[in-house]
Amino acid sequence: MLSTFNALKSVYASREISMEDLDVLQQYDFIQFENRGISRSEKDCLLCEVRCEPFATFLTAITAAVFDSAEALRDLVRSTGLGLLEEKSDDTALLSFYSEDKMVEIIASVADDGRVSIDPEDLEVLPFFQVFLRVQH
């Protein structure tokens, strides 16, 4: 799912899309499409947000929680089915997860007591991208 979303992002992000493109995007059940109103830069277009909803929900959950251990976070990451990989590091104070295409990186901090947390600023990813949909007259 994440690799598909990142592939869609590389094709469509920050571009003007057609109604056919919109149909392609909406065929994916994990995609949420939201109209944000008339674009300031492209006056004849709607500014729309394409969101990977399960990934956005996952990111919100992991940044709001404190995990009892590194293994608890690993278990959660594995259970999502997002295909995130763990980067092995000599630094025991950090855990790092990334997508195979390297477009996603999540860095978690491990406290002295073993508890793990993720600061939203330690996320190298956005679970959405913007597109411009031309308004038909």
Side-chain angles (χ1 to χ4, degrees), residues 66-74 86-87 89-97 106-119 122:
V66 175
F67 299 90
D68 291 332
S69 67
E71 198 54 41
L73 176 58
R74 285 184 186 106
E86 183 176 355
E87 185 173 342
S89 172
D90 293 337
D91 187 351
T92 58
L94 295 175
L95 285 174
S96 180
F97 299 94
I106 299 169
I107 299 171
S109 300
V110 181
D112 292 337
D113 65 359
R115 296 174 60 118
V116 180
S117 62
I118 300 170
D119 187 316
D122 290 332

